[in-house]
Amino acid sequence: MGAVYLIRHGQASFGAENYDQLSETGYIQARVLGEALKARQTKVDTVIMGTLARHQQTAETCLKALGSDLVPTRIPGFNEFDHVELIVRHTPRYANHAAWMEDLATAPDPHRAIQDMFGQAVARWLAGKHDHEYAESWPAFQQRCIRALDSLIQDLGPSKTALVFTSGGPVTAICQHLLHIPDEHAFRLNWTLANCGITKVVYSDRGHHLSTLNEHAHFEGPHRGLVTYR
């Protein structure tokens, strides 16, 4: 039986003008993850990553700590959805980043304000009533992620192991598909996915199945302060 480890990137820069960069915490998370995989003596045949900077930064930092010289292959199918587009479609004036920052600066709890606003933006995207407004609708995103996993497994062949450095959205779409979760409940998974958490999909000639979801025990004990979700 083969295994694909879907790894969510380390903490990025949510709320910053350029989200697509790991924070200092994100780099530490990726290093601790690599050290944990090394301690487990995880056998790795292939490394895959999306094309985003946070995917590459997480992969390179993790692989260095793991002691692996494998070179990741970029597969756009594992990229995240465009969260900026979702936000702007929900609140058009946030096309001006300064307007968003101004609103957050006056919010009693900026982190809660970000979460609430983003949750509403995602709900609008999932509802399906405005699909024509998005460059990539929710159904199109789902199918893109599922195809990426199916294609990877086909290319891997039997009894291989791959690390896939990706984002919370693709992990959510793949798990929703494997667990047959309704669209309206899909992002209940997404909100709980920890940065640098591992979701394991096992596969054989009988198909592929979810083995573990959002495993992040490597951030327990002395590293418990590294658990983040955004």
Side-chain angles (χ1 to χ4, degrees):
M1 185 171 289
V4 175
Y5 292 84
L6 301 170
I7 298 170
R8 189 186 178 205
H9 60 77
Q11 184 188 62
S13 304
F14 197 85
E17 191 162 359
N18 182 12
Y19 171 75
D20 193 23
Q21 295 290 322
L22 290 191
S23 67
E24 181 179 350
T25 296
Y27 279 105
I28 297 172
Q29 290 168 333
R31 175 180 56 78
V32 171
L33 170 63
E35 292 169 350
L37 292 173
K38 183 176 183 179
R40 298 178 194 180
Q41 298 184 334
T42 303
K43 169 182 171 289
V44 181
D45 298 296
T46 302
V47 179
I48 304 297
M49 64 182 180
T51 66
L52 304 177
R54 58 191 183 272
H55 299 158
Q56 179 177 350
Q57 292 163 358
T58 304
E60 290 177 347
T61 305
C62 176
L63 292 173
K64 182 178 179 180
L66 178 59
S68 172
D69 58 1
L70 291 173
V71 177
T73 299
R74 296 174 182 268
I75 297 182
F78 288 109
N79 281 353
E80 183 63 287
F81 55 82
D82 186 346
H83 77 278
V84 175
E85 183 187 28
L86 267 62
I87 291 169
V88 171
R89 292 299 183 191
H90 176 260
T91 310
R93 72 187 191 87
Y94 285 167
N96 179 355
H97 186 75
W100 185 18
M101 293 298 100
E102 183 179 337
D103 284 359
L104 289 179
T106 59
D109 184 344
H111 291 289
R112 180 60 181 269
I114 289 175
Q115 183 64 46
D116 289 347
M117 181 272 295
F118 189 58
Q120 294 167 16
V122 168
R124 184 182 189 273
W125 184 49
L126 289 175
K129 298 178 180 179
H130 308 279
D131 284 355
H132 63 285
E133 297 182 14
Y134 298 95
E136 185 176 44
S137 67
W138 165 247
F141 174 75
Q142 286 177 301
Q143 290 305 308
R144 188 244 292 171
C145 298
I146 294 165
R147 285 195 303 269
L149 177 66
D150 289 345
S151 179
L152 171 60
I153 288 174
Q154 183 175 5
D155 291 344
L156 279 173
S159 303
K160 298 294 184 181
T161 298
L163 302 183
V164 178
F165 294 89
T166 181
S167 293
V171 175
T172 297
I174 289 168
C175 290
Q176 184 215 14
H177 171 67
L178 295 176
L179 296 176
H180 306 286
I181 297 171
D183 285 350
E184 60 268 28
H185 299 312
F187 268 72
R188 292 184 182 181
L189 286 177
N190 188 275
W191 306 137
T192 67
L193 296 178
N195 293 111
C196 280
I198 303 171
T199 294
K200 182 179 179 182
V201 177
V202 295
Y203 70 91
S204 68
D205 55 5
R206 294 181 294 176
H208 39 278
H209 309 278
L210 187 64
S211 175
T212 62
L213 172 63
N214 193 33
E215 190 272 302
H216 53 283
H218 41 285
F219 296 143
E220 294 179 351
H223 298 301
R224 59 184 176 275
L226 291 176
V227 178
T228 62
Y229 300 94
R230 296 288 172 268

